[in-house]
């Protein structure tokens, strides 16, 4: 009987995908209890061939082609096709630890658990820049670098806010996924960034609003690749720009359109990214040297500017295009 459905949306990262799937089939959990759904979101590389070759070794892999762009497309198709009641969402660039799925299964035996996350540890593939700690947050639970989807909240299970369950290690009851409105648009190609939304963040907010329990389980751990191109100032500024787009999307939906004033963060029903931005801008450099301090402060300014540009860009695009406004205000994106 299939209890867990692992859903991996992917696009043109066949070499990473192969390693991810192979790590999943090295689990301590019996293969009869889970399936792996690969949702090919319009790949033009060797993705289909890689999945076909791996499928020859097991009947537990299913392949679906979804040409419409957007991570939410793959996530929703995976939910629709899944046989398991527990949906285990992962990225194509993770490596699962051997007890990942077994730990997920055990935690969901508690009927109160609606959402589950775990450790997301770095697999550094390039030199770690000196400024990386600028983006490291340390809430009461542990530490996280959100822009790299990294998180370690220690070695004990605990209740956590749902927005600390990141998309690359995101397990949820299928019934809760639909009840709470599903995913919003995310993972758009950069040329379609105007269609980006706030991804799993809105789903997490709805889960918190309804009072469902989100749990951190340390043994449900994965490693997340951090390639050299993600360890650059340019990458972090691009992420800041994209986050600005997401913040604009969230605010417009919270207002029900463009005519009302932007709501306060508590009205949006999630911690504002602006607060995170303020914390970054208020941080000081502990390293000595005028050049280091100048570079540190310059990075903060670039980051803030990129975020503002993204937010302004999206709002202007929505103002110009009534069809885009209608898209932003959709009830759901199933």
């Amino acid at each position: 009987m299939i209890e867990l459905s692992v859903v991996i949306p992917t696009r043109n990262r066949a070499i990473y995908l192969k390693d991810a799937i192979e790590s999943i089939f090295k689990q301590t959990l019996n293969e009869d209890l889970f399936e792996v759904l690969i949702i090919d979101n319009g790949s033009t590389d060797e993705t289909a061939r890689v999945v076909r070759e791996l499928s020859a070794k097991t009947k537990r892999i299913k392949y679906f082609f979804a040409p419409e762009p957007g991570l939410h497309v793959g996530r929703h198709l995976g939910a629709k096709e899944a046989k398991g009641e527990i949906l285990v969402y992962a990225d194509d660039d993770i490596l699962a630890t051997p007890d990942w799925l077994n730990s997920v299964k055990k935690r969901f035996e508690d009927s109160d658990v609606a959402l589950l996350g775990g450790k997301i540890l770095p697999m550094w593939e390039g030199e770690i820049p000196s400024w990386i700690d600028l983006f490291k947050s340390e809430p009461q639970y542990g530490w996280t670098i959100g822009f790299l989807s990294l998180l370690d909240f220690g070695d004990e299970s605990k209740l956590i806010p749902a927005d600390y369950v990141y998309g690359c290690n995101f397990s949820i009851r299928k019934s809760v996924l639909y009840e709470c409105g599903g995913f919003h648009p995310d993972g758009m190609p950069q040329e379609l960034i105007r269609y980006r939304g706030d991804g799993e963040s809105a789903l997490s907010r709805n889960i918190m609003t309804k009072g469902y329990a989100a749990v951190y389980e340390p043994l449900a751990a994965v490693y997340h690749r951090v390639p050299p191109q993600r360890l650059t100032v340019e990458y972090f500024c691009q992420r800041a720009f994209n986050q600005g787009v997401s913040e604009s999307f969230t605010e417009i939906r919270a207002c029900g359109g463009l005519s009302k004033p932007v709501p306060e963060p508590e009205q949006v029903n999630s911690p504002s990214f602006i607060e995170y931005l303020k914390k970054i801008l208020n941080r000081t450099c502990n390293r000595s040297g005028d050049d280091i301090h100048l570079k540190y402060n310059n990075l903060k300014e670039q980051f803030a500017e990129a975020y503002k540009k993204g937010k302004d860009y999206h709002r202007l695009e929505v103002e110009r295009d009534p069809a885009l406004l209608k898209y932003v205000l959709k009830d759901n994106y199933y």
Side-chain angles (χ1 to χ4, degrees):
M1 176 184 175
I2 293 175
E3 297 186 25
L4 307 181
S5 293
V6 182
V7 179
I8 306 180
T10 187
R11 186 173 186 268
N12 288 334
R13 294 206 289 192
I15 188 169
Y16 283 173
L17 179 65
K18 181 177 185 293
D19 291 343
I21 295 174
E22 288 180 341
S23 74
I24 292 170
F25 283 97
K26 294 177 181 177
Q27 296 291 296
T28 57
L29 184 67
N30 190 308
E31 283 188 22
D32 291 340
L33 299 178
F34 69 91
E35 62 179 351
V36 177
L37 284 67
I38 306 300
I39 315 298
D40 185 346
N41 196 204
S43 296
T44 57
D45 66 354
E46 296 297 308
T47 293
R49 179 187 61 79
V50 166
V51 178
R52 187 167 57 249
E53 290 177 355
L54 292 172
S55 297
K57 303 176 183 179
T58 175
K59 296 179 180 179
R60 293 303 186 193
I61 299 177
K62 297 178 180 178
Y63 172 87
F64 301 90
F65 189 78
E68 182 183 351
L71 181 57
H72 66 298
V73 173
R75 285 171 167 173
H76 288 150
L77 179 57
K80 178 182 177 182
E81 298 292 344
K83 291 184 177 180
E85 170 54 27
I86 306 303
L87 304 173
V88 183
Y89 286 100
D91 284 357
D92 55 11
D93 58 354
I94 62 100
L95 292 178
T97 57
D99 208 32
W100 179 49
L101 292 182
N102 190 45
S103 300
V104 170
K105 177 182 176 298
K106 286 182 178 179
R107 291 301 297 172
F108 275 102
E109 289 172 359
D110 180 349
S111 60
D112 289 334
V113 176
L115 180 66
L116 180 77
K119 288 186 180 183
I120 307 171
L121 303 173
M123 181 175 289
W124 305 108
E125 297 182 339
E127 183 178 352
I128 304 172
S130 59
W131 44 262
I132 196 70
D133 283 347
L134 177 63
F135 299 93
K136 187 175 185 178
S137 297
E138 296 184 351
Q140 60 179 303
Y141 313 99
W143 67 264
T144 174
I145 303 178
F147 271 17
L148 296 176
S149 297
L150 302 176
L151 180 146
D152 187 347
F153 283 176
D155 296 327
E156 295 182 3
S157 301
K158 63 194 73 174
L159 291 171
I160 58 171
D163 49 7
Y164 283 123
V165 181
Y166 294 160
C168 62
N169 190 4
F170 188 102
S171 299
I172 186 170
R173 294 188 189 276
K174 189 190 299 186
S175 57
V176 173
L177 172 76
Y178 285 113
E179 181 187 345
C180 293
F183 295 99
H184 283 178
D186 196 2
M188 290 291 183
Q190 203 61 35
E191 66 271 16
L192 298 175
I193 198 64
R194 69 201 295 263
Y195 296 104
R196 177 184 171 97
D198 47 16
E200 70 268 14
S201 298
L203 175 58
S204 297
R205 288 195 299 271
N206 289 338
I207 287 171
M208 288 188 285
T209 298
K210 289 182 178 293
Y212 285 123
V215 172
Y216 166 82
E217 170 50 58
L219 295 178
V222 301
Y223 286 89
H224 197 199
R225 294 180 184 272
V226 186
Q229 59 268 31
R230 292 189 182 180
L231 295 170
T232 64
V233 172
E234 292 76 15
Y235 175 79
F236 274 77
C237 285
Q238 185 68 71
R239 284 297 305 266
F241 180 94
N242 292 353
Q243 184 62 39
V245 171
S246 292
E247 289 289 308
S248 173
F249 175 96
T250 301
E251 289 179 356
I252 292 169
R253 284 184 63 89
C255 292
L258 293 167
S259 59
K260 297 179 182 178
V262 174
E264 295 298 321
E266 58 268 20
Q267 291 175 283
V268 178
N269 197 29
S270 73
S272 172
F273 183 79
I274 295 174
E275 296 303 315
Y276 173 61
L277 181 61
K278 286 179 180 178
K279 289 180 181 179
I280 290 175
L281 295 178
N282 288 332
R283 286 177 182 169
T284 58
C285 181
N286 294 323
R287 300 171 183 267
S288 61
D290 292 340
D291 289 344
I292 293 176
H293 279 269
L294 182 63
K295 183 176 180 180
Y296 200 76
N297 290 329
N298 184 50
L299 175 58
K300 291 193 291 185
E301 291 172 4
Q302 289 182 62
F303 179 73
E305 182 181 1
Y307 167 75
K308 184 178 184 302
K309 282 183 176 179
K311 194 170 182 180
D312 291 345
Y313 160 80
H314 182 262
R315 189 167 184 89
L316 183 59
E317 288 292 295
V318 174
E319 289 173 351
R320 288 174 173 173
D321 186 351
L324 181 57
L325 174 60
K326 185 176 180 180
Y327 171 85
V328 170
L329 296 177
K330 287 180 67 172
D331 288 339
N332 63 65
Y333 296 85
Y334 300 149

